[in-house]
């Protein structure tokens, strides 16, 4: 099935098409906090744990083999996208009007 590509999606893809990842640094942080609410029957003693992963990608450009600071465009599975900061997302159909379907839903 061929997707009908209008200017916003095509323009965004073309603008990011030269940049690709060549490596990454991954940072992880894990925190546990105590809450007053231990009535949720999960036997956690009122503890809440949060893991945060941060990926810093090294990129290169097809125009040159040198590192670049241009933005890397990435897709996220729907259940991962729910956890990403909204500032890192293209959420408007006016910004990107192409959809990709996967087994987990619309990307």
């Amino acid at each position: 099935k061929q997707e009908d590509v209008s200017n916003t999606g095509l323009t965004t893809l073309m603008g990011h098409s030269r940049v690709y990842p060549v490596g990454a640094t991954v940072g992880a942080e894990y925190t546990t906090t105590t809450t007053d609410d231990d009535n949720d029957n999960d036997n956690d003693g009122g503890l809440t744990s949060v893991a945060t992963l941060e990926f810093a990608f090294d990129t290169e450009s097809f125009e040159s083999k040198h590192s670049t600071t241009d933005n890397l465009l990435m897709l996220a599975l729907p259940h991962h996208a729910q956890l990403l900061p909204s500032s890192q997302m293209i959420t408007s159909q006016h910004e990107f009007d192409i959809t990709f379907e996967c087994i987990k839903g619309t990307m």
Side-chain angles (χ1 to χ4, degrees):
K1 176 182 163 185
Q2 187 173 359
E3 192 76 35
D4 179 24
V5 180
S6 69
N7 287 341
T8 58
L10 182 59
T11 300
T12 301
L13 289 174
M14 294 293 289
H16 293 272
S17 65
R18 292 174 196 85
V19 180
Y20 59 95
V22 294
T25 302
V26 180
E29 181 180 321
Y30 184 79
T31 58
T32 302
T33 57
T34 304
T35 62
D36 293 333
D37 183 21
D38 191 25
N39 297 324
D40 52 8
N41 297 323
D42 60 7
N43 296 320
D44 65 1
L47 296 177
T48 301
S49 300
V50 175
T52 303
L53 298 174
E54 183 174 307
F55 299 87
F57 289 96
D58 301 320
T59 59
E60 288 186 359
S61 171
F62 284 113
E63 293 175 344
S64 69
K65 287 292 186 182
H66 303 290
S67 64
T68 179
T69 58
D70 290 345
N71 289 331
L72 184 63
L73 183 66
M74 307 279 286
L75 291 175
L77 293 171
H79 61 284
H80 294 162
Q82 295 170 357
L83 303 174
L84 294 174
S86 60
S87 63
Q88 300 294 310
M89 302 285 290
I90 298 175
T91 57
S92 168
Q93 286 287 344
H94 299 291
E95 293 179 89
F96 196 84
D97 58 356
I98 302 171
T99 59
F100 296 93
E101 297 294 327
C102 70
I103 195 167
K104 297 286 187 176
T106 302
M107 299 174 79

